[in-house]
Amino acid sequence: MRNIFILKNNFKFKKYNLNEVDESVFSTEYDDSSWKNVSVPHDWGIEGDFSEDNDATYSMIVQDGMTKPEKQTGRTGGLPIVGEGVYRTWFQIDDVEKAFLEFDGIMRESVIYINGKKVGGCHFGYLSFEVDITNYVKKGTNLLAVHAIVYPDSSRWYSGGGLYRNVRLITKPSSYIKYNGVWVRQIYVDEKSALFDITIDYEGTTGFTAKITDPNGTVTELSSNDNKASYFIDNPILWDVNKPNLYTAQITIDSGDSITTRFGVRKTEFTKDGFFLNDRYLKMNGVCLHHDTGSIGAAINRSALLRQLQIMKEMGVNALRTSHNPPATELLDLCDELGILVIDEFFDEWRNKKVENGYSKNFNDHALKDVESIVCRDRNHPSVIMWSIGNEIGEQWQEDGWKVARMFADKTKEIDPTRPITAGLDWYPHCFDNRIAFYVDVVGLNYKPHLYKEVKEKYPNILLYGSETASCISTRGVYKLPAKIDISLSKNDDLTISDYGLCAPPWAYFPERELSNQKDNPNVMGEFIWTGFDYLGEPTPYYSEWPSRSSYFGVVDLAGLPKNRYYLYKSAWTDTPTLHIFPHWNWKGVEGQTVPVHIYTNYDKVELFINGISQGIRTHKIDGNDDISHVERFRLMWNDTKYEPGEICAVAYKNGKEMERKTIYTAGEPYAIELSKYYNEINADGESLNYITAKIVDKNGNLCPNACSLLTFSANGTVEVYATDAGDQRETEAFLRPDKKSLSGMLVCCVRNNGKQGKATVSCSGNGLLSSSVDFECI
Ligand code: GAL
C-alpha cells in the first residue's frame, strides 16, 4: 500500500542572512523552540517589509536604452527574498518498506536533511523532485530539515523563497511505481477512435492493472504482463477548451502500490494555416503569467490560482504560457479542468546569463536532466500542448546557438514525441539566420506583429504565433491627459501609467496592434499577452524610481481587479455582449477642458451622450494599417469631448436595434463601503482563500473613482484576514496587514479559512465611511 501525507503544518522556520546558517540547525538535538511556526506552502518573502535595498541590482539594460549601470530597485519586488531559510519538522514513520519525500519545488537552491544527514537537494527552484529517504528514517519520529538559499540577482522577477510548493511524504511497498512513473501516451485520435499506450516505470515487479474511468463514469479494466498496455477507445469523449472532459487511470501493481492519473483525448494540429483543436480552427487567445499570485506571493494556493484562471477565462483566454519556468502541478490540474491550453516553458536563460545568479550557473551540469524531469512530470496533462525550450535566450545571437536548441529538441522528443517544441524568440532575423527558429517546431515571436506577413512570405512552411505580445503598461483607474499613443519609457511624477491603455515600452506596443495583426493573419496561431495579471517585480518603466515594485503590464492588476483593457479583450475574444466606457467622470478642476471618452464594445455602434447631449455615433473602422487604424478597429473614441460634471451615457446598437445603455455619473463625496465576495463558498480546509472587494461609493452608490482612503478589514467565524492589496504598484505597506489605502476607490482583502466549517463574516471600515460586511460559508 502507498500512503501519502502532505506535510503542511508544524514546521518551524528561521530566516538567515547569506552564509549565516550553521550546520547545527539540521541536527535532531537543535532547539528550535524560538523559531517561527509556519505552514507549508510558505513564501518567506511575502511578509515584507518592502525596501528599495531588497535585491537591488546595478545593471544596464541595453534594450531599454540605458547607457550606464543604474540601481534597479523593485526589480524582484522589493521584498526580502534574498538570504537563507531553514525549515524543520518532525514526522512519524511506521514499519515501512520504502519512504520518499516529494518536493514540488523549493526556491531556489536547496539541501534536504533527514535526522541530521544530507539526503538530497535541488539547484533549480521551479523543479519538482523526490528524495529516497528509506535508509535514513527509523520507525517513530524523524526530523526533516530543509535548507534553502536565494542569492541576490538570481531572477528577473519576484521568485519568492523557501518551501513555496507542496511537500509530500510517501511510503510504498518494496516493489513500487516510481516517481512520475506512469505515462499515458496518446498514439492516435479521430472522432470515432483513440489509442493510448500506458507505460509504467516500476521497481521489483512485472505487470500491472489499469482501471480506466471515462468522463461518463464507465469503467474499463486492462492488465499487462510487462510495463506497457494499450488502451483503445471507441467513440472517445474529447477534451476541449469548452468541454474539458477528463479520463482517469488507476494503475495498480502486484504489491498493491497504486497511483491515479488523469488524461484527456484531444487532437492538436499545428499547421501553416493555423492551429486546430479536435479538427476545429482555434486562435490561441493566450496570456503569459508569472507564478506569483499577488499579495500571497509565490506560495502555491489552489483557490488563488483558480480565481486567476477564472478571471482570465471570462476575458476569453483559452491558452496560457507559463513564463518563464515550469509551473506548479496544481496549475496544470486546473488548466486540465478549466480547458486552458498550456505552453509549458523550461527556462528564461541557457548558457548566456541574464542575471548574475540565474539558471546559466546550472546549465552545463543539469539542463538536459531538468528537461527530462519536467517533461516526465507534465506529459499526462491534456492541457499541455507544447514545450517551450526557452524565452528570449541569449543564444539567438550566437552563430552556433542552434546547437543548444537542437539538443533540447532531441531530448524533449525522446521523452515525449507527441508534442511540438517551441521557444519565445525576439531577435529577428538573427534567430532565423542562426537556425534556432528551424530547430523548434512552432516559432514563437515576441513583439513582432508587424513582421508576421514578412516571416510567412519568406518561410511559407513556418508555423508561427506571438509568444509574447503587447506589454502595454498601466495603473488601474488612473488617467493622464492627453490620451495619446506613447511607445516610450516616459514617466509620470506619481509613478503611475495612464489606464487609457495606449502606453508601452519601445520594444512593445498598445494591444490593438496585435489584435489587428492577428485578425489579418489567420495563419498565425494566436498571441500570448504580456501579461494577464500584474506580477511582483519588473516595474517598467520605473526601474530605479522607488517605491515602484510591481509590474504595470497586467490586463488585470495585482489585486485581481481588471484594468480597462480587460474589456478590450473580452469584446474581441468572446461573444459576451460588452460595453465598457472609460475614463471615470470625476475631473474636478478641468471643467470645460478636453477629456476623451473611449469605449470597448462588440456591439455594432454606440452613441455617446454627455448630460443628455449627443456627442455622435461611432462604429469600428476596418481599413488602414497605421497605429491609429489598429486602435479604431477595436475601440470607439470621442477625443474632443469636454468635461462637465454630470453623466456620460453610452447607447449601444446591434442591427439597428438598441441593445444596452450604460451611464457613468460624476460621483459625490465618499459615503459608504460596498463589499462583494469572489467565491460564494470555500472549503473548510485551513488553506482555501476568498477575496472580498471593497468599493468606496457616494450616497447614490456610485464608485468614487479617486478615493484613496485607509480601509481596515476584520473577519470572524471561519476565516481570518490574510492580506490586503489595492493593486497599487507603489504601495509599500506589507501585504499581510488588515488595512491599506484604496486605489481608484477599491481595495481587495484576501481571507483564509481557519480550518473550521460554518459561516464566515468579513467586515470593512474606514474613517467617515459607513462600514459594511459580507457573509459566506466554509464547507
Ligand atoms: C520580454 C521578456 C519578459 C518581460 C517583458 C517585458 O522581453 O521576455 O520576461 O521582461 O519583456 O516587456
PDB file of all heavy atoms in Angstrom, residues 479 499 562-568 571 578-582 598-602 636 650 660 662 664:
ATOM      1  N   TYR A 479      -5.694  58.098 -14.796  1.00  0.00           N
ATOM      2  CA  TYR A 479      -5.659  58.635 -16.162  1.00  0.00           C
ATOM      3  C   TYR A 479      -4.758  59.846 -16.252  1.00  0.00           C
ATOM      4  O   TYR A 479      -4.696  60.655 -15.323  1.00  0.00           O
ATOM      5  CB  TYR A 479      -7.076  59.017 -16.615  1.00  0.00           C
ATOM      6  CG  TYR A 479      -7.999  57.825 -16.591  1.00  0.00           C
ATOM      7  CD1 TYR A 479      -8.760  57.541 -15.457  1.00  0.00           C
ATOM      8  CD2 TYR A 479      -8.052  56.941 -17.669  1.00  0.00           C
ATOM      9  CE1 TYR A 479      -9.574  56.421 -15.411  1.00  0.00           C
ATOM     10  CE2 TYR A 479      -8.858  55.819 -17.633  1.00  0.00           C
ATOM     11  CZ  TYR A 479      -9.624  55.570 -16.498  1.00  0.00           C
ATOM     12  OH  TYR A 479     -10.405  54.449 -16.456  1.00  0.00           O
ATOM     13  N   ASP A 499      -4.310  54.629 -17.581  1.00  0.00           N
ATOM     14  CA  ASP A 499      -5.109  53.439 -17.901  1.00  0.00           C
ATOM     15  C   ASP A 499      -5.935  53.611 -19.184  1.00  0.00           C
ATOM     16  O   ASP A 499      -6.892  52.881 -19.413  1.00  0.00           O
ATOM     17  CB  ASP A 499      -6.019  53.117 -16.696  1.00  0.00           C
ATOM     18  CG  ASP A 499      -6.497  51.670 -16.676  1.00  0.00           C
ATOM     19  OD1 ASP A 499      -5.943  50.853 -17.436  1.00  0.00           O
ATOM     20  OD2 ASP A 499      -7.432  51.365 -15.917  1.00  0.00           O
ATOM     21  N   PRO A 562      -9.775  44.198 -12.799  1.00  0.00           N
ATOM     22  CA  PRO A 562      -9.498  44.457 -14.213  1.00  0.00           C
ATOM     23  C   PRO A 562      -9.144  45.907 -14.487  1.00  0.00           C
ATOM     24  O   PRO A 562      -9.759  46.821 -13.934  1.00  0.00           O
ATOM     25  CB  PRO A 562     -10.815  44.118 -14.913  1.00  0.00           C
ATOM     26  CG  PRO A 562     -11.719  43.547 -13.894  1.00  0.00           C
ATOM     27  CD  PRO A 562     -11.156  43.806 -12.538  1.00  0.00           C
ATOM     28  N   LYS A 563      -8.148  46.105 -15.349  1.00  0.00           N
ATOM     29  CA  LYS A 563      -7.910  47.440 -15.892  1.00  0.00           C
ATOM     30  C   LYS A 563      -8.839  47.577 -17.104  1.00  0.00           C
ATOM     31  O   LYS A 563      -9.476  46.602 -17.519  1.00  0.00           O
ATOM     32  CB  LYS A 563      -6.444  47.573 -16.304  1.00  0.00           C
ATOM     33  CG  LYS A 563      -5.476  47.361 -15.142  1.00  0.00           C
ATOM     34  CD  LYS A 563      -4.035  47.463 -15.613  1.00  0.00           C
ATOM     35  CE  LYS A 563      -3.071  47.080 -14.519  1.00  0.00           C
ATOM     36  NZ  LYS A 563      -1.680  47.008 -14.994  1.00  0.00           N
ATOM     37  N   ASN A 564      -8.856  48.758 -17.716  1.00  0.00           N
ATOM     38  CA  ASN A 564      -9.809  48.944 -18.826  1.00  0.00           C
ATOM     39  C   ASN A 564      -9.646  47.920 -19.930  1.00  0.00           C
ATOM     40  O   ASN A 564     -10.623  47.411 -20.465  1.00  0.00           O
ATOM     41  CB  ASN A 564      -9.665  50.350 -19.415  1.00  0.00           C
ATOM     42  CG  ASN A 564     -10.217  51.378 -18.460  1.00  0.00           C
ATOM     43  OD1 ASN A 564     -11.326  51.231 -17.956  1.00  0.00           O
ATOM     44  ND2 ASN A 564      -9.429  52.398 -18.171  1.00  0.00           N
ATOM     45  N   ARG A 565      -8.383  47.604 -20.286  1.00  0.00           N
ATOM     46  CA  ARG A 565      -8.211  46.779 -21.476  1.00  0.00           C
ATOM     47  C   ARG A 565      -8.681  45.339 -21.302  1.00  0.00           C
ATOM     48  O   ARG A 565      -8.754  44.579 -22.264  1.00  0.00           O
ATOM     49  CB  ARG A 565      -6.789  46.860 -22.011  1.00  0.00           C
ATOM     50  CG  ARG A 565      -5.695  46.436 -21.080  1.00  0.00           C
ATOM     51  CD  ARG A 565      -4.344  46.765 -21.746  1.00  0.00           C
ATOM     52  NE  ARG A 565      -3.215  46.244 -20.993  1.00  0.00           N
ATOM     53  CZ  ARG A 565      -2.696  46.833 -19.932  1.00  0.00           C
ATOM     54  NH1 ARG A 565      -3.206  47.967 -19.476  1.00  0.00           N
ATOM     55  NH2 ARG A 565      -1.663  46.298 -19.313  1.00  0.00           N
ATOM     56  N   TYR A 566      -9.025  44.963 -20.085  1.00  0.00           N
ATOM     57  CA  TYR A 566      -9.675  43.669 -19.868  1.00  0.00           C
ATOM     58  C   TYR A 566     -10.896  43.557 -20.794  1.00  0.00           C
ATOM     59  O   TYR A 566     -11.164  42.513 -21.395  1.00  0.00           O
ATOM     60  CB  TYR A 566     -10.122  43.585 -18.403  1.00  0.00           C
ATOM     61  CG  TYR A 566     -10.732  42.265 -17.999  1.00  0.00           C
ATOM     62  CD1 TYR A 566      -9.929  41.208 -17.588  1.00  0.00           C
ATOM     63  CD2 TYR A 566     -12.116  42.069 -18.010  1.00  0.00           C
ATOM     64  CE1 TYR A 566     -10.483  39.996 -17.199  1.00  0.00           C
ATOM     65  CE2 TYR A 566     -12.677  40.868 -17.624  1.00  0.00           C
ATOM     66  CZ  TYR A 566     -11.855  39.832 -17.212  1.00  0.00           C
ATOM     67  OH  TYR A 566     -12.407  38.626 -16.831  1.00  0.00           O
ATOM     68  N   TYR A 567     -11.607  44.689 -20.917  1.00  0.00           N
ATOM     69  CA  TYR A 567     -12.854  44.675 -21.695  1.00  0.00           C
ATOM     70  C   TYR A 567     -12.583  44.778 -23.188  1.00  0.00           C
ATOM     71  O   TYR A 567     -13.428  44.410 -23.997  1.00  0.00           O
ATOM     72  CB  TYR A 567     -13.783  45.794 -21.199  1.00  0.00           C
ATOM     73  CG  TYR A 567     -14.063  45.588 -19.734  1.00  0.00           C
ATOM     74  CD1 TYR A 567     -13.293  46.232 -18.754  1.00  0.00           C
ATOM     75  CD2 TYR A 567     -15.026  44.678 -19.322  1.00  0.00           C
ATOM     76  CE1 TYR A 567     -13.500  45.991 -17.401  1.00  0.00           C
ATOM     77  CE2 TYR A 567     -15.234  44.435 -17.963  1.00  0.00           C
ATOM     78  CZ  TYR A 567     -14.469  45.092 -17.025  1.00  0.00           C
ATOM     79  OH  TYR A 567     -14.668  44.839 -15.688  1.00  0.00           O
ATOM     80  N   LEU A 568     -11.389  45.251 -23.540  1.00  0.00           N
ATOM     81  CA  LEU A 568     -10.986  45.216 -24.950  1.00  0.00           C
ATOM     82  C   LEU A 568     -10.898  43.761 -25.389  1.00  0.00           C
ATOM     83  O   LEU A 568     -11.474  43.357 -26.403  1.00  0.00           O
ATOM     84  CB  LEU A 568      -9.622  45.896 -25.111  1.00  0.00           C
ATOM     85  CG  LEU A 568      -8.870  45.577 -26.406  1.00  0.00           C
ATOM     86  CD1 LEU A 568      -9.581  46.177 -27.604  1.00  0.00           C
ATOM     87  CD2 LEU A 568      -7.438  46.101 -26.352  1.00  0.00           C
ATOM     88  N   SER A 571     -14.256  42.002 -25.413  1.00  0.00           N
ATOM     89  CA  SER A 571     -15.097  42.330 -26.563  1.00  0.00           C
ATOM     90  C   SER A 571     -14.560  41.680 -27.837  1.00  0.00           C
ATOM     91  O   SER A 571     -15.323  41.329 -28.722  1.00  0.00           O
ATOM     92  CB  SER A 571     -15.216  43.848 -26.735  1.00  0.00           C
ATOM     93  OG  SER A 571     -13.957  44.399 -27.056  1.00  0.00           O
ATOM     94  N   THR A 578     -20.459  43.221 -24.603  1.00  0.00           N
ATOM     95  CA  THR A 578     -19.557  44.027 -23.769  1.00  0.00           C
ATOM     96  C   THR A 578     -19.706  45.493 -24.153  1.00  0.00           C
ATOM     97  O   THR A 578     -19.693  45.834 -25.341  1.00  0.00           O
ATOM     98  CB  THR A 578     -18.091  43.569 -24.004  1.00  0.00           C
ATOM     99  OG1 THR A 578     -18.017  42.165 -23.743  1.00  0.00           O
ATOM    100  CG2 THR A 578     -17.117  44.295 -23.111  1.00  0.00           C
ATOM    101  N   LEU A 579     -19.856  46.323 -23.159  1.00  0.00           N
ATOM    102  CA  LEU A 579     -19.937  47.768 -23.382  1.00  0.00           C
ATOM    103  C   LEU A 579     -19.208  48.406 -22.204  1.00  0.00           C
ATOM    104  O   LEU A 579     -19.724  48.440 -21.095  1.00  0.00           O
ATOM    105  CB  LEU A 579     -21.412  48.197 -23.414  1.00  0.00           C
ATOM    106  CG  LEU A 579     -21.684  49.681 -23.616  1.00  0.00           C
ATOM    107  CD1 LEU A 579     -21.183  50.172 -24.978  1.00  0.00           C
ATOM    108  CD2 LEU A 579     -23.186  49.976 -23.505  1.00  0.00           C
ATOM    109  N   HIS A 580     -17.994  48.850 -22.449  1.00  0.00           N
ATOM    110  CA  HIS A 580     -17.182  49.379 -21.352  1.00  0.00           C
ATOM    111  C   HIS A 580     -16.741  50.804 -21.673  1.00  0.00           C
ATOM    112  O   HIS A 580     -16.048  51.036 -22.658  1.00  0.00           O
ATOM    113  CB  HIS A 580     -15.959  48.473 -21.123  1.00  0.00           C
ATOM    114  CG  HIS A 580     -15.076  48.965 -20.031  1.00  0.00           C
ATOM    115  ND1 HIS A 580     -15.409  48.875 -18.709  1.00  0.00           N
ATOM    116  CD2 HIS A 580     -13.857  49.600 -20.064  1.00  0.00           C
ATOM    117  CE1 HIS A 580     -14.454  49.410 -17.962  1.00  0.00           C
ATOM    118  NE2 HIS A 580     -13.507  49.857 -18.761  1.00  0.00           N
ATOM    119  N   ILE A 581     -17.138  51.735 -20.818  1.00  0.00           N
ATOM    120  CA  ILE A 581     -16.809  53.158 -21.033  1.00  0.00           C
ATOM    121  C   ILE A 581     -15.703  53.573 -20.075  1.00  0.00           C
ATOM    122  O   ILE A 581     -15.739  53.225 -18.906  1.00  0.00           O
ATOM    123  CB  ILE A 581     -17.986  54.096 -20.668  1.00  0.00           C
ATOM    124  CG1 ILE A 581     -19.314  53.517 -21.115  1.00  0.00           C
ATOM    125  CG2 ILE A 581     -17.757  55.496 -21.190  1.00  0.00           C
ATOM    126  CD1 ILE A 581     -20.488  54.396 -20.677  1.00  0.00           C
ATOM    127  N   PHE A 582     -14.777  54.364 -20.558  1.00  0.00           N
ATOM    128  CA  PHE A 582     -13.800  54.967 -19.664  1.00  0.00           C
ATOM    129  C   PHE A 582     -13.374  56.299 -20.246  1.00  0.00           C
ATOM    130  O   PHE A 582     -13.571  56.525 -21.435  1.00  0.00           O
ATOM    131  CB  PHE A 582     -12.610  54.020 -19.415  1.00  0.00           C
ATOM    132  CG  PHE A 582     -11.861  53.585 -20.643  1.00  0.00           C
ATOM    133  CD1 PHE A 582     -10.626  54.143 -20.952  1.00  0.00           C
ATOM    134  CD2 PHE A 582     -12.370  52.612 -21.507  1.00  0.00           C
ATOM    135  CE1 PHE A 582      -9.919  53.734 -22.078  1.00  0.00           C
ATOM    136  CE2 PHE A 582     -11.665  52.201 -22.634  1.00  0.00           C
ATOM    137  CZ  PHE A 582     -10.449  52.767 -22.916  1.00  0.00           C
ATOM    138  N   HIS A 598     -13.507  56.880 -24.256  1.00  0.00           N
ATOM    139  CA  HIS A 598     -13.270  55.717 -25.117  1.00  0.00           C
ATOM    140  C   HIS A 598     -14.171  54.561 -24.682  1.00  0.00           C
ATOM    141  O   HIS A 598     -14.540  54.467 -23.506  1.00  0.00           O
ATOM    142  CB  HIS A 598     -11.805  55.275 -25.040  1.00  0.00           C
ATOM    143  CG  HIS A 598     -10.847  56.257 -25.638  1.00  0.00           C
ATOM    144  ND1 HIS A 598      -9.518  56.013 -25.779  1.00  0.00           N
ATOM    145  CD2 HIS A 598     -11.042  57.505 -26.151  1.00  0.00           C
ATOM    146  CE1 HIS A 598      -8.919  57.054 -26.337  1.00  0.00           C
ATOM    147  NE2 HIS A 598      -9.824  57.977 -26.561  1.00  0.00           N
ATOM    148  N   ILE A 599     -14.486  53.700 -25.643  1.00  0.00           N
ATOM    149  CA  ILE A 599     -15.379  52.564 -25.355  1.00  0.00           C
ATOM    150  C   ILE A 599     -14.854  51.294 -26.014  1.00  0.00           C
ATOM    151  O   ILE A 599     -14.445  51.315 -27.182  1.00  0.00           O
ATOM    152  CB  ILE A 599     -16.813  52.881 -25.850  1.00  0.00           C
ATOM    153  CG1 ILE A 599     -17.456  53.897 -24.892  1.00  0.00           C
ATOM    154  CG2 ILE A 599     -17.668  51.612 -25.972  1.00  0.00           C
ATOM    155  CD1 ILE A 599     -18.882  54.253 -25.192  1.00  0.00           C
ATOM    156  N   TYR A 600     -14.845  50.202 -25.247  1.00  0.00           N
ATOM    157  CA  TYR A 600     -14.595  48.873 -25.820  1.00  0.00           C
ATOM    158  C   TYR A 600     -15.933  48.169 -25.900  1.00  0.00           C
ATOM    159  O   TYR A 600     -16.649  48.064 -24.889  1.00  0.00           O
ATOM    160  CB  TYR A 600     -13.684  48.048 -24.915  1.00  0.00           C
ATOM    161  CG  TYR A 600     -12.282  48.577 -24.756  1.00  0.00           C
ATOM    162  CD1 TYR A 600     -11.725  48.713 -23.481  1.00  0.00           C
ATOM    163  CD2 TYR A 600     -11.492  48.896 -25.860  1.00  0.00           C
ATOM    164  CE1 TYR A 600     -10.423  49.171 -23.316  1.00  0.00           C
ATOM    165  CE2 TYR A 600     -10.192  49.353 -25.696  1.00  0.00           C
ATOM    166  CZ  TYR A 600      -9.665  49.486 -24.421  1.00  0.00           C
ATOM    167  OH  TYR A 600      -8.384  49.927 -24.262  1.00  0.00           O
ATOM    168  N   THR A 601     -16.280  47.695 -27.070  1.00  0.00           N
ATOM    169  CA  THR A 601     -17.583  47.047 -27.220  1.00  0.00           C
ATOM    170  C   THR A 601     -17.553  46.049 -28.378  1.00  0.00           C
ATOM    171  O   THR A 601     -16.730  46.187 -29.288  1.00  0.00           O
ATOM    172  CB  THR A 601     -18.687  48.098 -27.485  1.00  0.00           C
ATOM    173  OG1 THR A 601     -19.959  47.450 -27.496  1.00  0.00           O
ATOM    174  CG2 THR A 601     -18.475  48.826 -28.802  1.00  0.00           C
ATOM    175  N   ASN A 602     -18.437  45.070 -28.323  1.00  0.00           N
ATOM    176  CA  ASN A 602     -18.611  44.235 -29.512  1.00  0.00           C
ATOM    177  C   ASN A 602     -19.999  44.448 -30.134  1.00  0.00           C
ATOM    178  O   ASN A 602     -20.450  43.643 -30.929  1.00  0.00           O
ATOM    179  CB  ASN A 602     -18.324  42.757 -29.230  1.00  0.00           C
ATOM    180  CG  ASN A 602     -18.916  42.270 -27.921  1.00  0.00           C
ATOM    181  OD1 ASN A 602     -19.790  42.933 -27.354  1.00  0.00           O
ATOM    182  ND2 ASN A 602     -18.483  41.123 -27.445  1.00  0.00           N
ATOM    183  N   LEU A 636     -13.843  52.517 -29.733  1.00  0.00           N
ATOM    184  CA  LEU A 636     -14.559  53.686 -30.231  1.00  0.00           C
ATOM    185  C   LEU A 636     -14.063  54.876 -29.429  1.00  0.00           C
ATOM    186  O   LEU A 636     -13.929  54.782 -28.199  1.00  0.00           O
ATOM    187  CB  LEU A 636     -16.065  53.497 -30.056  1.00  0.00           C
ATOM    188  CG  LEU A 636     -16.635  52.195 -30.641  1.00  0.00           C
ATOM    189  CD1 LEU A 636     -18.141  52.127 -30.432  1.00  0.00           C
ATOM    190  CD2 LEU A 636     -16.311  52.085 -32.136  1.00  0.00           C
ATOM    191  N   ALA A 650     -23.649  55.800 -22.696  1.00  0.00           N
ATOM    192  CA  ALA A 650     -23.386  55.138 -23.975  1.00  0.00           C
ATOM    193  C   ALA A 650     -24.599  54.288 -24.332  1.00  0.00           C
ATOM    194  O   ALA A 650     -25.062  53.499 -23.505  1.00  0.00           O
ATOM    195  CB  ALA A 650     -22.153  54.253 -23.848  1.00  0.00           C
ATOM    196  N   GLU A 660     -28.253  47.971 -25.338  1.00  0.00           N
ATOM    197  CA  GLU A 660     -27.794  48.195 -23.965  1.00  0.00           C
ATOM    198  C   GLU A 660     -27.425  49.659 -23.802  1.00  0.00           C
ATOM    199  O   GLU A 660     -26.988  50.298 -24.768  1.00  0.00           O
ATOM    200  CB  GLU A 660     -26.553  47.312 -23.715  1.00  0.00           C
ATOM    201  CG  GLU A 660     -26.123  47.289 -22.270  1.00  0.00           C
ATOM    202  CD  GLU A 660     -24.924  46.347 -22.015  1.00  0.00           C
ATOM    203  OE1 GLU A 660     -24.652  45.452 -22.826  1.00  0.00           O
ATOM    204  OE2 GLU A 660     -24.271  46.557 -20.985  1.00  0.00           O
ATOM    205  N   LYS A 662     -25.341  52.314 -20.894  1.00  0.00           N
ATOM    206  CA  LYS A 662     -24.555  52.375 -19.659  1.00  0.00           C
ATOM    207  C   LYS A 662     -24.258  53.819 -19.323  1.00  0.00           C
ATOM    208  O   LYS A 662     -23.908  54.595 -20.218  1.00  0.00           O
ATOM    209  CB  LYS A 662     -23.236  51.636 -19.855  1.00  0.00           C
ATOM    210  CG  LYS A 662     -23.069  50.574 -18.814  1.00  0.00           C
ATOM    211  CD  LYS A 662     -21.853  49.761 -18.932  1.00  0.00           C
ATOM    212  CE  LYS A 662     -22.164  48.396 -18.334  1.00  0.00           C
ATOM    213  NZ  LYS A 662     -21.266  47.385 -18.807  1.00  0.00           N
ATOM    214  N   ILE A 664     -22.252  56.558 -16.643  1.00  0.00           N
ATOM    215  CA  ILE A 664     -21.320  56.814 -15.533  1.00  0.00           C
ATOM    216  C   ILE A 664     -21.612  58.222 -15.023  1.00  0.00           C
ATOM    217  O   ILE A 664     -21.683  59.165 -15.821  1.00  0.00           O
ATOM    218  CB  ILE A 664     -19.857  56.727 -16.003  1.00  0.00           C
ATOM    219  CG1 ILE A 664     -19.572  55.310 -16.487  1.00  0.00           C
ATOM    220  CG2 ILE A 664     -18.903  57.101 -14.882  1.00  0.00           C
ATOM    221  CD1 ILE A 664     -18.154  55.111 -16.926  1.00  0.00           C
TER     222      ILE A 664
END
